Amino acid sequence: SYLLFHVIIDPHAPAEFGFEVPLWEFGLSDDGAVAVEDLAAGHRFTWHGKFQHIRIAPDEPYRIWRIAPEERA
C-alpha cells in the first residue's frame, strides 16, 4: 500500500483540482481500481481509474489516504 497526501496552502480559500493516482505502481491499467482508506476521516471507498478530482476546504485543509489494490474475491 501507499500513502497519498494533499494539503492546501491558502488557509482562506478552498482548492479544487484533479490528480493522477499511481495505478502503475500496483501493476494496474489506467482504468484499474484501488481501495482507499481516508486516514483523517476514517472512511473507506474505491477509486476507479487513474484520474480523480477533489475539493479541499480550509476547515479540512488536508487529506491522507492509504491506497492499495482492491482485494479480489
Side-chain angles (χ1 to χ4, degrees):
S1 68
Y2 286 87
L3 293 179
L4 182 62
F5 299 83
H6 282 292
V7 178
I8 59 172
I9 296 176
D10 184 343
H12 305 291
E16 197 165 334
F17 53 91
F19 61 97
E20 192 170 344
V21 179
L23 297 177
W24 61 89
E25 292 290 338
F26 302 112
L28 299 172
S29 65
D30 290 350
D31 62 348
V34 289
V36 182
E37 180 182 2
D38 182 329
L39 297 177
H43 302 285
R44 292 176 185 262
F45 48 93
T46 301
W47 280 336
H48 297 276
K50 72 176 183 176
F51 294 110
Q52 299 297 317
H53 187 266
I54 188 168
R55 181 178 192 279
I56 300 179
D59 61 334
E60 294 181 279
Y62 64 92
R63 296 289 189 275
I64 304 170
W65 301 293
R66 182 187 334 264
I67 61 173
E70 286 204 302
E71 296 289 324
R72 301 200 193 269

